[in-house]
Amino acid sequence: MPASTPKPASAAGAPAARPRVHWLFRAVLWIAGLAVAAGAALGLGIALALAVAYPNLPDVSDLADYRPKLPLRIYSSEGALLGEFGEERRNLTPIAEIPKVMTDAVLAIEDARFFEHGGVDYKGMVRAALANLGRVKSQGASTITMQVARNVYLSSEKTFTRKIYEILLTFKLEHLLSKNQILEIYMNQIFLGNRSYGFAAASEAYFGKPLKSISVAEAAMLAGLPKAPSAYNPISNPKRARSRQLYIIERMEENGFITAQQAVDAKKEELKIRTGPDNTRIHAEYVAEMARQLIFSQYGNEAYTRGLNVYTTLNAAEQEAAYTALRRGIMDYERRQQYRGPEKFVALPSAAQEVEDAVDDALANHPDNGDVLSAVVLDANAKKIIAARANGDTLEIVGDGLKPAQSGLSDKAPPNIKIRRGAIIRVVKTPKSTWEITQLPEVEGAFVALDPRTGSIRALVGGFDFDKNKFNHVAQAWRQPGSSFKPFIYSAALEKGFTPATVVNDAPLFFDAGITGGQPWEPKNYDGKYDGPMSLRTGLAKSKNMISIRVLQAVGPKNAQDWITRFGFEAEKHPAYLTMALGAGSVTPLQMATAYSVFANGGYRVNPWLISKVTDHKGRIISETSAPAPGDLPRVIDARNAFVMNSLLQEITRSGTAARAQATLKRPDLYGKTGTTNDSVDAWFAGYQPTIAAVTWIGYDTPRNLGSRETGGGLSLPVWISFMEKALKGVPVMEPTVPAGVVNSGGEWFYEEYARNAGVGSVGLDERSTASPAIAPQAPPPAEERSRILDLFRN
């Protein structure tokens, strides 16, 4: 038999290979099946999640009419910003008004493919994933739409659930809104540090300029803020902010938003970052606060989020004049006071760099107060002080600049007064551009100006510095008006037969216990001198106390108390005793301005008002107040009473205690009265020109002596003159119109019925040293009033 032929190895091995192929095939099928099942399960899970989550997503339809929280803003009558209130500083800016350079900078760093993707940038997510593995330079995965979803609706917690909601919201936003709408929301909503929300507010906060005016370099700096507003803040972290700015400029060039040359120029540009308070803003902090309170009382907390714009009656130029005049007047007074010593002492190291850091730390708690700057003494002797400022500048104070602090430079100065290395002092720049040492004042002041024809407030300064003392002295400080109250007593006297020619005896007065009901009272003239008989006109011009007391005796304290309420004074704050003749009652500067307006406008009572218009953020008028028409004001005194009082008050500014007014301003249509209370506790000047009435007050919050030589004429009148010099520039001189019922006889004005010696001819000419028994004594004042009388006139 022939031998059998062996089978090929391949053929022999084939049957053994089939099971292995079959097993692999089945494994692949199983894996594929599992993948499909997993995918289906995942799809079902996602679908279920969407079915559950999507209906629970916030309603984003409101974003179609985007209305973010907008601050309350207060403006002058011309539209100058006075103040803003609200947690969020924001200027809502339509996308069409946002400059392209700003949007380009944002897109370059935040979402360069914003106009290409559908809300989720999958390429960006891959880049971010690779960045997490260290494969490429770090890139952000959140698109602008995702950031809008997160910032508007979601919390900042980093959880898987929140991320799912963020993506779902992103799709919903992309479906509902256009790309430009989403970008507009982002550009206005994002927080950028320094209480600023949106790039328009940030441009103002960091550069002090409107967004429309920014450069490529500035846009790149702002675009770096969304990632970490604190870390990249150009004020607090300038180095990190600069580094990110350079990177964003490079990204702008890479994405074709700017040319290579523009990138080079932008990197070289030196930015001017605002590091201190906005010195360009009108100083009207007290007015802004008054307006805020009025609006809050009407709108509640919504006032800070609705974007209300409140327009006041304030005149911006006059407000600045008032602010400057009052501060200058107070600082001039401060120069005459004894030096109280440095504000604090700090230890300064010897190394130069360490000294700079120590100065910065020390002055952080002693910020500048307007033009009253803070500095740390580096070296001091009797002839020279060298001091350092927080900005690195070194000042040298010599000569007359040292005079206000001579006591602190003396070798015998006590430790708390001694000016030495490490002392924190205050300095001001003189008109000659030299430096003078000074100190923050303890004294306070107030200034208010009204339009006497309408009552609108044109300027108001409630104190030396709002940040230092928020108490509004114009509206809240109840003080004794002193002699500035006398015109209202004289006005009452005109209705009782007195005339400017009535002769009154300026002689000493003595009231025994039988009249006062307690201890004897012997009032004095301010200067302690008595000039004998004089006309009512002269007595008021010289502010003679004895004249005023005798006039009030004749009029009757109760009659006078009733009369002064016509001017807006409260009767209960002016007890019906003879002390009223010398201004022993209580008034506010605003009350005084309102009262003097009655004389200025010919006898009409005005109510001071501040807010003329309120609009929403789109400029639509919500409420509006118009100035009252002349016929709508109530007449409270006759025109002839106001005319004669004008004549008397004009005499004061011409030849009396306020003669400096006409001499300085070179115009006759000025009227007013000085006021100094006992022991020079309060210094006043209240006066007017027919178009503006203004009042100045200076004193300590806790009443104390201003100084034996300090008077209303020396302290407050210069402030009033300084203000009027600017307020009346270009205003023509106004001659008064003689009303019916008034005649001129022998150069003096009389009520027609008193022109021929029919009125009160004289008062007190038969008196010597005691109160006239011909005048019925008033009822004895109560104990507390007797104490007031004695305190007021004690010498």
Side-chain angles (χ1 to χ4, degrees), residues 4 14 72 156 159 162 216 232 279-280 324 415 433 447 469 517 541 589 629 671 674 740 752 761 769 775 783:
S4 59
L72 168 68
S156 58
T159 63
R162 189 200 65 81
V216 172
Y232 298 114
N279 293 322
T280 63
T324 302
S433 295
F447 184 92
N469 187 351
Y671 314 81
T674 55
E752 194 170 19
S769 60
I775 300 175

Side-chain angles (χ1 to χ4, degrees), residues 420-441:
R420 58 184 183 274
R421 181 176 170 83
I424 298 177
I425 61 171
R426 294 282 169 171
V427 297
V428 293
K429 206 164 193 177
T430 69
K432 297 180 180 180
S433 295
T434 60
W435 292 101
E436 179 180 87
I437 189 169
T438 187
Q439 55 193 346
L440 283 176

Side-chain angles (χ1 to χ4, degrees), residues 66-70 88 90 92 188-189 305-307 617:
Y66 175 58
R67 295 182 181 181
K69 291 181 179 179
L70 297 174
E88 302 178 2
R90 192 195 312 271
L92 184 57
N188 284 281
Q189 180 72 23
T305 60
R306 288 182 57 179
H617 71 281

